[in-house]
Amino acid sequence: MASVRQRHTFIVHSQFRDSADTLNLSKDKLTINEVPGTRQDRIVVAEDHLKETDILQAVDSIRIEIVSPENFARIAPFNRQLAWGTHINVVPTEALDWIGFCKWIQSSVNSEIACIGQESFIEMPYGYYLHSLYADSSQLLSYIQSSYSDSAQDIAGELEEASSANYISVSLNKTSADKKIAGRLVAEMYWYYGLWTKAITAGGPHHRVEVGLLGKVADDPQGELTYGGILAVVGENEQFVPTLFDFSPRHRSVYQPAVYYPDFRNPYGLHPKHLTTVLGDISPPRNNTAVLDASNEEIETKVSEAPSSCGLYGYYILPNFIFVDKYQISDLADAQRGGVKRVVGIWGETDLEIPVWMVDKWGSTMLLELIPPAQPLVPGVMQQLDIEIPMHSRYEVPRWNTTAATLDMPWPTLFWACNGSVESEMTTSPFDSNGLGHEYLFNAGTMFYYLHPNQTVSNPVNKTYLVTKLNIPMVPLETYKYVQPWTVIVILLGCMWIFYKTFVGFRRDGGIRKAGGVRPDRDKMEKKGPKTE
């Protein structure tokens, strides 16, 4: 097996036809010219070809994902969906030095990520998780390039181009069932659409470069996707090889046009209510769920029955400036209010009292099972679902000349999770991805059908950003020179008033404090006198 495997995949329109003007394959180079479509690049590097291995040897698995805040379309078969930001999931060994690991994150992933040790991570059922709102990938790409021990020019151009990708993933899984990636560093880059002009050259003796131009052919009633197209190994093939294959994808998008949009209800205050509105056909997904092809046109599909045992879920990423009260959310689920059916779990920082500057962890996550609306007799009926979650903001660090801090919160991810598939069928997919945060919270073999965030099936290219603004009230710093002395004065006056009233009461009662408004009977006390034997 080659020490480095590099793959370029282009998902093109079904009417695309290759020609000498668009594709030119020679013995050691492939030139493509203005090929429209979705693109994924994948680089798999053997661990012994990496210079720095101390950190990687101290983990069983690690996955770093950087997601653009832009509302880009997820084109099949790349339908996985995550909130905006940098996601770091790690399953450590006992040998992991957490302080050194944080230094590695800041030097190799992003220097802006707040990480001081294990206390910065939240513990999940599968391991540890850290999220940051910073989504700059340049530092991580530079690390991959500098850590590759062979001739750097082999992948330098690819990594430089990857800085414009909508999604980047770097992972290492030593326990993976897929022997092709077990113990190897896997880097994936995804662009949702582009007009591609590129020269792809052959690699060295241990570097395999594969290229595929594929289009979706059909969906069968069991939800499998069939793709056909042409493949080539640059440096080995001088002609393209036709291919046709099918697979059962783990991640899909719902075909029915259900979209959602979250926001905070006004007024925000310190206890804002987070409202997510879902509009459209909110019915369980069909087995042959389809998505758009790379031309953003709808593909004709047949409607079939929904998979068995499906549930609608919402996965929330809550930065450290906002949190939920787990007992309050449980009460919602018990009463079946706010669109909440069941609290699957809340992980991370949920302390109700501490201000933001005393929070060690990056924040918290929450997975909720939601209450879908009653299913209509006829599919395609437009419906509305409101999910209202009470949240609480933390006291912010005072700032000059402002009475509110404007902060960004990622949109939640809404999806149907359905059982009924076989895990081995999914792992046969060349595009399978198993390792997103919420995936670990479900059984193996679960299929995920994602709702569209504020976009429609007919118009997926929406340039909005999947970010919700929240204004947290705060005291401006310039008022502290008045607030502090007046606070002390008011406290002293209050104490003096309490002492004064206490002294007056004692004098009026002859040194004995009245109880319940009843005056002591001194005559009876004098007649009674002391006890004698």
Side-chain angles (χ1 to χ4, degrees), residues 11 38-41 72-80 162 164-169 188-193 196:
I11 306 299
T38 297
R39 173 182 167 189
Q40 186 210 45
D41 286 1
F72 59 90
R74 277 78 171 176
I75 306 297
F78 311 115
N79 295 119
R80 55 188 170 187
S164 63
N166 301 106
Y167 167 87
I168 293 175
S169 169
E188 295 177 334
M189 290 73 73
Y190 169 79
W191 296 260
Y192 80 90
Y193 191 73
W196 307 107

PDB file of all heavy atoms in Angstrom, residues 11 38-41 72-80 162 164-169 188-193 196:
ATOM      1  N   ILE A  11     -18.013  15.838  -8.142  1.00  0.00           N
ATOM      2  CA  ILE A  11     -19.393  15.426  -8.392  1.00  0.00           C
ATOM      3  C   ILE A  11     -19.966  16.396  -9.408  1.00  0.00           C
ATOM      4  O   ILE A  11     -20.192  17.577  -9.116  1.00  0.00           O
ATOM      5  CB  ILE A  11     -20.230  15.440  -7.097  1.00  0.00           C
ATOM      6  CG1 ILE A  11     -19.547  14.586  -6.022  1.00  0.00           C
ATOM      7  CG2 ILE A  11     -21.635  14.939  -7.373  1.00  0.00           C
ATOM      8  CD1 ILE A  11     -19.389  13.126  -6.386  1.00  0.00           C
ATOM      9  N   THR A  38     -19.206  19.907  -7.433  1.00  0.00           N
ATOM     10  CA  THR A  38     -18.754  19.826  -6.049  1.00  0.00           C
ATOM     11  C   THR A  38     -17.434  19.075  -6.014  1.00  0.00           C
ATOM     12  O   THR A  38     -17.200  18.169  -6.806  1.00  0.00           O
ATOM     13  CB  THR A  38     -19.803  19.087  -5.205  1.00  0.00           C
ATOM     14  OG1 THR A  38     -21.009  19.843  -5.212  1.00  0.00           O
ATOM     15  CG2 THR A  38     -19.346  18.889  -3.784  1.00  0.00           C
ATOM     16  N   ARG A  39     -16.576  19.440  -5.057  1.00  0.00           N
ATOM     17  CA  ARG A  39     -15.240  18.838  -5.033  1.00  0.00           C
ATOM     18  C   ARG A  39     -14.866  18.412  -3.617  1.00  0.00           C
ATOM     19  O   ARG A  39     -15.149  19.123  -2.651  1.00  0.00           O
ATOM     20  CB  ARG A  39     -14.220  19.839  -5.558  1.00  0.00           C
ATOM     21  CG  ARG A  39     -12.765  19.388  -5.419  1.00  0.00           C
ATOM     22  CD  ARG A  39     -11.835  20.463  -5.929  1.00  0.00           C
ATOM     23  NE  ARG A  39     -10.449  20.226  -5.554  1.00  0.00           N
ATOM     24  CZ  ARG A  39      -9.463  21.103  -5.730  1.00  0.00           C
ATOM     25  NH1 ARG A  39      -9.706  22.255  -6.304  1.00  0.00           N
ATOM     26  NH2 ARG A  39      -8.227  20.821  -5.343  1.00  0.00           N
ATOM     27  N   GLN A  40     -14.239  17.245  -3.518  1.00  0.00           N
ATOM     28  CA  GLN A  40     -13.632  16.808  -2.263  1.00  0.00           C
ATOM     29  C   GLN A  40     -12.223  16.307  -2.545  1.00  0.00           C
ATOM     30  O   GLN A  40     -12.013  15.498  -3.448  1.00  0.00           O
ATOM     31  CB  GLN A  40     -14.436  15.697  -1.599  1.00  0.00           C
ATOM     32  CG  GLN A  40     -13.898  15.338  -0.211  1.00  0.00           C
ATOM     33  CD  GLN A  40     -14.123  13.891   0.188  1.00  0.00           C
ATOM     34  OE1 GLN A  40     -13.902  12.970  -0.589  1.00  0.00           O
ATOM     35  NE2 GLN A  40     -14.580  13.685   1.420  1.00  0.00           N
ATOM     36  N   ASP A  41     -11.258  16.788  -1.769  1.00  0.00           N
ATOM     37  CA  ASP A  41      -9.886  16.279  -1.812  1.00  0.00           C
ATOM     38  C   ASP A  41      -9.638  15.484  -0.544  1.00  0.00           C
ATOM     39  O   ASP A  41     -10.065  15.888   0.551  1.00  0.00           O
ATOM     40  CB  ASP A  41      -8.872  17.423  -1.909  1.00  0.00           C
ATOM     41  CG  ASP A  41      -8.841  18.043  -3.293  1.00  0.00           C
ATOM     42  OD1 ASP A  41      -9.625  17.598  -4.165  1.00  0.00           O
ATOM     43  OD2 ASP A  41      -8.069  18.995  -3.496  1.00  0.00           O
ATOM     44  N   PHE A  72     -23.491  27.080   3.258  1.00  0.00           N
ATOM     45  CA  PHE A  72     -23.230  26.411   1.986  1.00  0.00           C
ATOM     46  C   PHE A  72     -24.042  25.124   1.881  1.00  0.00           C
ATOM     47  O   PHE A  72     -24.397  24.500   2.876  1.00  0.00           O
ATOM     48  CB  PHE A  72     -21.738  26.113   1.813  1.00  0.00           C
ATOM     49  CG  PHE A  72     -21.148  25.238   2.888  1.00  0.00           C
ATOM     50  CD1 PHE A  72     -21.142  23.864   2.768  1.00  0.00           C
ATOM     51  CD2 PHE A  72     -20.581  25.806   4.019  1.00  0.00           C
ATOM     52  CE1 PHE A  72     -20.594  23.058   3.747  1.00  0.00           C
ATOM     53  CE2 PHE A  72     -20.021  25.015   5.006  1.00  0.00           C
ATOM     54  CZ  PHE A  72     -20.037  23.636   4.870  1.00  0.00           C
ATOM     55  N   ALA A  73     -24.341  24.721   0.649  1.00  0.00           N
ATOM     56  CA  ALA A  73     -25.131  23.514   0.418  1.00  0.00           C
ATOM     57  C   ALA A  73     -24.270  22.273   0.613  1.00  0.00           C
ATOM     58  O   ALA A  73     -23.096  22.268   0.261  1.00  0.00           O
ATOM     59  CB  ALA A  73     -25.711  23.530  -1.000  1.00  0.00           C
ATOM     60  N   ARG A  74     -24.870  21.249   1.179  1.00  0.00           N
ATOM     61  CA  ARG A  74     -24.199  19.953   1.319  1.00  0.00           C
ATOM     62  C   ARG A  74     -24.701  19.049   0.206  1.00  0.00           C
ATOM     63  O   ARG A  74     -25.858  18.630   0.207  1.00  0.00           O
ATOM     64  CB  ARG A  74     -24.494  19.321   2.676  1.00  0.00           C
ATOM     65  CG  ARG A  74     -23.613  19.812   3.806  1.00  0.00           C
ATOM     66  CD  ARG A  74     -24.017  21.158   4.330  1.00  0.00           C
ATOM     67  NE  ARG A  74     -23.282  21.507   5.552  1.00  0.00           N
ATOM     68  CZ  ARG A  74     -23.402  22.668   6.163  1.00  0.00           C
ATOM     69  NH1 ARG A  74     -24.189  23.597   5.680  1.00  0.00           N
ATOM     70  NH2 ARG A  74     -22.725  22.908   7.267  1.00  0.00           N
ATOM     71  N   ILE A  75     -23.845  18.767  -0.769  1.00  0.00           N
ATOM     72  CA  ILE A  75     -24.226  17.998  -1.945  1.00  0.00           C
ATOM     73  C   ILE A  75     -23.886  16.533  -1.719  1.00  0.00           C
ATOM     74  O   ILE A  75     -22.803  16.206  -1.227  1.00  0.00           O
ATOM     75  CB  ILE A  75     -23.511  18.525  -3.208  1.00  0.00           C
ATOM     76  CG1 ILE A  75     -23.755  20.038  -3.369  1.00  0.00           C
ATOM     77  CG2 ILE A  75     -23.972  17.770  -4.441  1.00  0.00           C
ATOM     78  CD1 ILE A  75     -25.184  20.426  -3.566  1.00  0.00           C
ATOM     79  N   ALA A  76     -24.817  15.645  -2.064  1.00  0.00           N
ATOM     80  CA  ALA A  76     -24.552  14.210  -1.935  1.00  0.00           C
ATOM     81  C   ALA A  76     -23.329  13.836  -2.768  1.00  0.00           C
ATOM     82  O   ALA A  76     -23.139  14.351  -3.864  1.00  0.00           O
ATOM     83  CB  ALA A  76     -25.769  13.414  -2.400  1.00  0.00           C
ATOM     84  N   PRO A  77     -22.484  12.943  -2.250  1.00  0.00           N
ATOM     85  CA  PRO A  77     -22.629  12.174  -1.012  1.00  0.00           C
ATOM     86  C   PRO A  77     -21.968  12.809   0.207  1.00  0.00           C
ATOM     87  O   PRO A  77     -21.662  12.122   1.172  1.00  0.00           O
ATOM     88  CB  PRO A  77     -21.938  10.864  -1.372  1.00  0.00           C
ATOM     89  CG  PRO A  77     -20.808  11.297  -2.266  1.00  0.00           C
ATOM     90  CD  PRO A  77     -21.330  12.462  -3.060  1.00  0.00           C
ATOM     91  N   PHE A  78     -21.747  14.129   0.161  1.00  0.00           N
ATOM     92  CA  PHE A  78     -21.061  14.823   1.253  1.00  0.00           C
ATOM     93  C   PHE A  78     -22.084  15.624   2.056  1.00  0.00           C
ATOM     94  O   PHE A  78     -22.036  16.858   2.093  1.00  0.00           O
ATOM     95  CB  PHE A  78     -19.962  15.733   0.699  1.00  0.00           C
ATOM     96  CG  PHE A  78     -19.053  15.055  -0.288  1.00  0.00           C
ATOM     97  CD1 PHE A  78     -19.019  15.457  -1.616  1.00  0.00           C
ATOM     98  CD2 PHE A  78     -18.251  14.000   0.102  1.00  0.00           C
ATOM     99  CE1 PHE A  78     -18.188  14.849  -2.526  1.00  0.00           C
ATOM    100  CE2 PHE A  78     -17.414  13.370  -0.811  1.00  0.00           C
ATOM    101  CZ  PHE A  78     -17.389  13.790  -2.133  1.00  0.00           C
ATOM    102  N   ASN A  79     -23.007  14.940   2.700  1.00  0.00           N
ATOM    103  CA  ASN A  79     -24.116  15.598   3.382  1.00  0.00           C
ATOM    104  C   ASN A  79     -23.888  15.837   4.870  1.00  0.00           C
ATOM    105  O   ASN A  79     -24.789  16.330   5.539  1.00  0.00           O
ATOM    106  CB  ASN A  79     -25.394  14.772   3.226  1.00  0.00           C
ATOM    107  CG  ASN A  79     -25.863  14.682   1.800  1.00  0.00           C
ATOM    108  OD1 ASN A  79     -25.946  13.610   1.242  1.00  0.00           O
ATOM    109  ND2 ASN A  79     -26.154  15.823   1.196  1.00  0.00           N
ATOM    110  N   ARG A  80     -22.752  15.474   5.394  1.00  0.00           N
ATOM    111  CA  ARG A  80     -22.548  15.654   6.826  1.00  0.00           C
ATOM    112  C   ARG A  80     -22.640  17.137   7.184  1.00  0.00           C
ATOM    113  O   ARG A  80     -22.235  18.014   6.426  1.00  0.00           O
ATOM    114  CB  ARG A  80     -21.214  15.071   7.252  1.00  0.00           C
ATOM    115  CG  ARG A  80     -20.023  15.593   6.493  1.00  0.00           C
ATOM    116  CD  ARG A  80     -18.790  14.802   6.853  1.00  0.00           C
ATOM    117  NE  ARG A  80     -17.672  15.121   5.975  1.00  0.00           N
ATOM    118  CZ  ARG A  80     -16.531  14.479   6.000  1.00  0.00           C
ATOM    119  NH1 ARG A  80     -16.347  13.500   6.848  1.00  0.00           N
ATOM    120  NH2 ARG A  80     -15.546  14.799   5.178  1.00  0.00           N
ATOM    121  N   ALA A 162      -6.546  24.488  -0.317  1.00  0.00           N
ATOM    122  CA  ALA A 162      -7.558  24.068   0.645  1.00  0.00           C
ATOM    123  C   ALA A 162      -7.977  25.179   1.588  1.00  0.00           C
ATOM    124  O   ALA A 162      -9.002  25.061   2.266  1.00  0.00           O
ATOM    125  CB  ALA A 162      -7.040  22.885   1.458  1.00  0.00           C
ATOM    126  N   SER A 164      -9.393  27.773   0.989  1.00  0.00           N
ATOM    127  CA  SER A 164     -10.680  28.325   0.563  1.00  0.00           C
ATOM    128  C   SER A 164     -11.823  27.329   0.713  1.00  0.00           C
ATOM    129  O   SER A 164     -12.957  27.625   0.343  1.00  0.00           O
ATOM    130  CB  SER A 164     -10.604  28.770  -0.905  1.00  0.00           C
ATOM    131  OG  SER A 164     -10.354  27.651  -1.755  1.00  0.00           O
ATOM    132  N   ALA A 165     -11.564  26.149   1.279  1.00  0.00           N
ATOM    133  CA  ALA A 165     -12.593  25.116   1.400  1.00  0.00           C
ATOM    134  C   ALA A 165     -13.647  25.512   2.422  1.00  0.00           C
ATOM    135  O   ALA A 165     -13.386  26.239   3.379  1.00  0.00           O
ATOM    136  CB  ALA A 165     -11.956  23.780   1.787  1.00  0.00           C
ATOM    137  N   ASN A 166     -14.873  25.005   2.211  1.00  0.00           N
ATOM    138  CA  ASN A 166     -15.958  25.254   3.159  1.00  0.00           C
ATOM    139  C   ASN A 166     -15.851  24.387   4.404  1.00  0.00           C
ATOM    140  O   ASN A 166     -16.374  24.737   5.465  1.00  0.00           O
ATOM    141  CB  ASN A 166     -17.311  24.988   2.495  1.00  0.00           C
ATOM    142  CG  ASN A 166     -17.550  25.841   1.278  1.00  0.00           C
ATOM    143  OD1 ASN A 166     -17.483  25.379   0.147  1.00  0.00           O
ATOM    144  ND2 ASN A 166     -17.821  27.113   1.498  1.00  0.00           N
ATOM    145  N   TYR A 167     -15.183  23.251   4.272  1.00  0.00           N
ATOM    146  CA  TYR A 167     -15.093  22.305   5.378  1.00  0.00           C
ATOM    147  C   TYR A 167     -13.759  21.580   5.291  1.00  0.00           C
ATOM    148  O   TYR A 167     -13.331  21.168   4.212  1.00  0.00           O
ATOM    149  CB  TYR A 167     -16.251  21.300   5.296  1.00  0.00           C
ATOM    150  CG  TYR A 167     -16.114  20.087   6.193  1.00  0.00           C
ATOM    151  CD1 TYR A 167     -16.562  20.114   7.502  1.00  0.00           C
ATOM    152  CD2 TYR A 167     -15.523  18.918   5.728  1.00  0.00           C
ATOM    153  CE1 TYR A 167     -16.436  19.000   8.324  1.00  0.00           C
ATOM    154  CE2 TYR A 167     -15.398  17.797   6.544  1.00  0.00           C
ATOM    155  CZ  TYR A 167     -15.852  17.852   7.839  1.00  0.00           C
ATOM    156  OH  TYR A 167     -15.719  16.749   8.648  1.00  0.00           O
ATOM    157  N   ILE A 168     -13.072  21.444   6.431  1.00  0.00           N
ATOM    158  CA  ILE A 168     -11.794  20.742   6.494  1.00  0.00           C
ATOM    159  C   ILE A 168     -11.820  19.791   7.679  1.00  0.00           C
ATOM    160  O   ILE A 168     -12.273  20.162   8.769  1.00  0.00           O
ATOM    161  CB  ILE A 168     -10.615  21.728   6.622  1.00  0.00           C
ATOM    162  CG1 ILE A 168     -10.470  22.563   5.350  1.00  0.00           C
ATOM    163  CG2 ILE A 168      -9.315  20.988   6.894  1.00  0.00           C
ATOM    164  CD1 ILE A 168      -9.423  23.634   5.438  1.00  0.00           C
ATOM    165  N   SER A 169     -11.347  18.583   7.468  1.00  0.00           N
ATOM    166  CA  SER A 169     -11.299  17.592   8.537  1.00  0.00           C
ATOM    167  C   SER A 169      -9.927  16.931   8.532  1.00  0.00           C
ATOM    168  O   SER A 169      -9.398  16.574   7.478  1.00  0.00           O
ATOM    169  CB  SER A 169     -12.388  16.536   8.341  1.00  0.00           C
ATOM    170  OG  SER A 169     -12.191  15.441   9.211  1.00  0.00           O
ATOM    171  N   GLU A 188      -9.318  15.815   4.841  1.00  0.00           N
ATOM    172  CA  GLU A 188     -10.365  15.961   3.828  1.00  0.00           C
ATOM    173  C   GLU A 188     -10.734  17.435   3.695  1.00  0.00           C
ATOM    174  O   GLU A 188     -10.869  18.139   4.705  1.00  0.00           O
ATOM    175  CB  GLU A 188     -11.611  15.153   4.205  1.00  0.00           C
ATOM    176  CG  GLU A 188     -11.380  13.653   4.229  1.00  0.00           C
ATOM    177  CD  GLU A 188     -12.608  12.886   4.667  1.00  0.00           C
ATOM    178  OE1 GLU A 188     -13.449  13.471   5.401  1.00  0.00           O
ATOM    179  OE2 GLU A 188     -12.730  11.704   4.309  1.00  0.00           O
ATOM    180  N   MET A 189     -10.911  17.881   2.462  1.00  0.00           N
ATOM    181  CA  MET A 189     -11.315  19.247   2.168  1.00  0.00           C
ATOM    182  C   MET A 189     -12.523  19.207   1.225  1.00  0.00           C
ATOM    183  O   MET A 189     -12.560  18.408   0.295  1.00  0.00           O
ATOM    184  CB  MET A 189     -10.173  20.020   1.501  1.00  0.00           C
ATOM    185  CG  MET A 189      -9.003  20.334   2.421  1.00  0.00           C
ATOM    186  SD  MET A 189      -7.941  18.913   2.845  1.00  0.00           S
ATOM    187  CE  MET A 189      -7.088  18.662   1.301  1.00  0.00           C
ATOM    188  N   TYR A 190     -13.495  20.084   1.486  1.00  0.00           N
ATOM    189  CA  TYR A 190     -14.742  20.051   0.731  1.00  0.00           C
ATOM    190  C   TYR A 190     -15.108  21.454   0.249  1.00  0.00           C
ATOM    191  O   TYR A 190     -15.089  22.417   1.029  1.00  0.00           O
ATOM    192  CB  TYR A 190     -15.859  19.488   1.612  1.00  0.00           C
ATOM    193  CG  TYR A 190     -17.258  19.631   1.045  1.00  0.00           C
ATOM    194  CD1 TYR A 190     -17.727  18.763   0.074  1.00  0.00           C
ATOM    195  CD2 TYR A 190     -18.105  20.630   1.495  1.00  0.00           C
ATOM    196  CE1 TYR A 190     -19.000  18.891  -0.441  1.00  0.00           C
ATOM    197  CE2 TYR A 190     -19.383  20.768   0.989  1.00  0.00           C
ATOM    198  CZ  TYR A 190     -19.827  19.899   0.027  1.00  0.00           C
ATOM    199  OH  TYR A 190     -21.092  20.035  -0.497  1.00  0.00           O
ATOM    200  N   TRP A 191     -15.431  21.558  -1.039  1.00  0.00           N
ATOM    201  CA  TRP A 191     -15.958  22.789  -1.631  1.00  0.00           C
ATOM    202  C   TRP A 191     -17.342  22.466  -2.202  1.00  0.00           C
ATOM    203  O   TRP A 191     -17.485  21.536  -3.004  1.00  0.00           O
ATOM    204  CB  TRP A 191     -15.077  23.283  -2.777  1.00  0.00           C
ATOM    205  CG  TRP A 191     -13.686  23.701  -2.407  1.00  0.00           C
ATOM    206  CD1 TRP A 191     -13.233  24.971  -2.210  1.00  0.00           C
ATOM    207  CD2 TRP A 191     -12.538  22.851  -2.259  1.00  0.00           C
ATOM    208  NE1 TRP A 191     -11.890  24.961  -1.922  1.00  0.00           N
ATOM    209  CE2 TRP A 191     -11.433  23.671  -1.948  1.00  0.00           C
ATOM    210  CE3 TRP A 191     -12.347  21.466  -2.343  1.00  0.00           C
ATOM    211  CZ2 TRP A 191     -10.160  23.169  -1.736  1.00  0.00           C
ATOM    212  CZ3 TRP A 191     -11.085  20.965  -2.118  1.00  0.00           C
ATOM    213  CH2 TRP A 191     -10.008  21.814  -1.818  1.00  0.00           C
ATOM    214  N   TYR A 192     -18.357  23.221  -1.809  1.00  0.00           N
ATOM    215  CA  TYR A 192     -19.713  22.836  -2.210  1.00  0.00           C
ATOM    216  C   TYR A 192     -19.979  23.068  -3.691  1.00  0.00           C
ATOM    217  O   TYR A 192     -20.821  22.407  -4.292  1.00  0.00           O
ATOM    218  CB  TYR A 192     -20.759  23.558  -1.355  1.00  0.00           C
ATOM    219  CG  TYR A 192     -21.051  24.985  -1.748  1.00  0.00           C
ATOM    220  CD1 TYR A 192     -22.055  25.288  -2.661  1.00  0.00           C
ATOM    221  CD2 TYR A 192     -20.347  26.049  -1.174  1.00  0.00           C
ATOM    222  CE1 TYR A 192     -22.331  26.593  -3.010  1.00  0.00           C
ATOM    223  CE2 TYR A 192     -20.631  27.350  -1.519  1.00  0.00           C
ATOM    224  CZ  TYR A 192     -21.624  27.627  -2.431  1.00  0.00           C
ATOM    225  OH  TYR A 192     -21.896  28.920  -2.783  1.00  0.00           O
ATOM    226  N   TYR A 193     -19.265  24.015  -4.322  1.00  0.00           N
ATOM    227  CA  TYR A 193     -19.457  24.209  -5.754  1.00  0.00           C
ATOM    228  C   TYR A 193     -18.329  25.082  -6.300  1.00  0.00           C
ATOM    229  O   TYR A 193     -17.800  25.950  -5.606  1.00  0.00           O
ATOM    230  CB  TYR A 193     -20.812  24.860  -6.056  1.00  0.00           C
ATOM    231  CG  TYR A 193     -21.167  24.827  -7.531  1.00  0.00           C
ATOM    232  CD1 TYR A 193     -21.547  23.645  -8.143  1.00  0.00           C
ATOM    233  CD2 TYR A 193     -21.086  25.977  -8.315  1.00  0.00           C
ATOM    234  CE1 TYR A 193     -21.856  23.605  -9.490  1.00  0.00           C
ATOM    235  CE2 TYR A 193     -21.400  25.948  -9.662  1.00  0.00           C
ATOM    236  CZ  TYR A 193     -21.781  24.757 -10.249  1.00  0.00           C
ATOM    237  OH  TYR A 193     -22.077  24.719 -11.589  1.00  0.00           O
ATOM    238  N   TRP A 196     -13.847  24.299 -11.897  1.00  0.00           N
ATOM    239  CA  TRP A 196     -12.503  23.871 -11.575  1.00  0.00           C
ATOM    240  C   TRP A 196     -11.589  23.784 -12.794  1.00  0.00           C
ATOM    241  O   TRP A 196     -11.911  23.118 -13.774  1.00  0.00           O
ATOM    242  CB  TRP A 196     -12.534  22.510 -10.875  1.00  0.00           C
ATOM    243  CG  TRP A 196     -13.457  22.516  -9.697  1.00  0.00           C
ATOM    244  CD1 TRP A 196     -14.674  21.917  -9.599  1.00  0.00           C
ATOM    245  CD2 TRP A 196     -13.248  23.199  -8.465  1.00  0.00           C
ATOM    246  NE1 TRP A 196     -15.245  22.163  -8.380  1.00  0.00           N
ATOM    247  CE2 TRP A 196     -14.387  22.957  -7.656  1.00  0.00           C
ATOM    248  CE3 TRP A 196     -12.218  23.976  -7.962  1.00  0.00           C
ATOM    249  CZ2 TRP A 196     -14.515  23.473  -6.383  1.00  0.00           C
ATOM    250  CZ3 TRP A 196     -12.343  24.503  -6.684  1.00  0.00           C
ATOM    251  CH2 TRP A 196     -13.473  24.245  -5.910  1.00  0.00           C
TER     252      TRP A 196
END
